Amino acid sequence: MTVITARSGDERRGMTANAFVSVSLTPPLILVSVDHRAHMLSLLSDDAVTHFGVNILGANQRHLSTHFAGKPGPEEQVPWFEHEGLPLIGGTVAQLVCRKERLIGAGDHTLVLGHVEYSRYTDDDPLLYFRGQYHELG
C-alpha cells in the first residue's frame, strides 16, 4: 500500500492509493491513480503544488493505510517528517519525492505522472492489499 502526500500551505495531506506503478527507469517516472472524488486531486491539480511524496507502507503500518483511506484516527499516530518542505511518513519501506510532470484524465480517475527526484528505501516487508484484505509476503 502507498500513501501519497502533499502540502497545501501549512496543511499536510495524505491519501491511500492502491494504484501505483513504476513507468520508466530513464528518466525515473512513476504513476499514481487518483479518484475524481478524492480531496487529494484538487491539491495535486493546483499549479502551485509542484511536488508530491509517495510512501510505501511497511507491514506494521496498516493503521496508516486505513487512516489515509478516510477512517480518521488521532493525528499523533502519523509519524510525519519533512524532506525539503514536503511531508513524508516515517517508518515506511520506501519514500519517493516526485516532481509533478503531468495529470492525465482517465475515466473517473486522474493519472498523476511524477518524476522521481529523491528516493530512500529499506529491506523491511511492505504492506500488501489484495482482494479487499491485507496480506504479508511469504
Side-chain angles (χ1 to χ4, degrees):
M1 292 300 297
T2 58
V3 172
I4 308 307
T5 53
R7 174 173 299 288
S8 175
D10 290 335
E11 180 187 6
R12 298 177 291 214
R13 284 199 203 161
M15 177 199 83
T16 297
N18 55 12
F20 162 76
V21 65
S22 171
V23 173
S24 168
L25 294 176
T26 307
L29 299 172
I30 60 93
L31 187 86
V32 62
S33 180
V34 181
D35 190 299
H36 287 170
R37 298 170 295 176
H39 296 290
M40 182 61 80
L41 182 58
S42 63
L43 179 61
L44 292 174
S45 297
D46 185 341
D47 289 339
V49 175
T50 60
H51 288 75
F52 62 95
V54 177
N55 305 268
I56 300 174
L57 299 178
N60 63 343
Q61 294 181 309
R62 182 184 301 195
H63 67 285
L64 293 173
S65 175
T66 57
H67 173 80
F68 287 109
K71 299 173 181 81
E75 179 70 14
E76 64 271 6
Q77 290 184 349
V78 179
W80 290 110
F81 78 95
E82 297 209 359
H83 178 82
E84 298 181 1
L86 183 70
L88 296 173
I89 299 172
T92 58
V93 171
Q95 298 148 344
L96 307 174
V97 171
C98 301
R99 182 179 67 244
K100 184 175 67 176
E101 288 290 314
R102 188 175 323 150
L103 275 64
I104 305 157
D108 60 359
H109 281 64
T110 294
L111 306 177
V112 182
L113 185 66
H115 183 274
V116 179
E117 293 184 343
Y118 167 83
S119 65
R120 185 204 65 80
Y121 64 91
T122 69
D123 290 330
D124 296 338
D125 289 336
L127 179 64
L128 304 177
Y129 190 78
F130 179 68
R131 293 187 179 165
Q133 295 182 349
Y134 292 98
H135 299 273
E136 293 183 20
L137 287 177

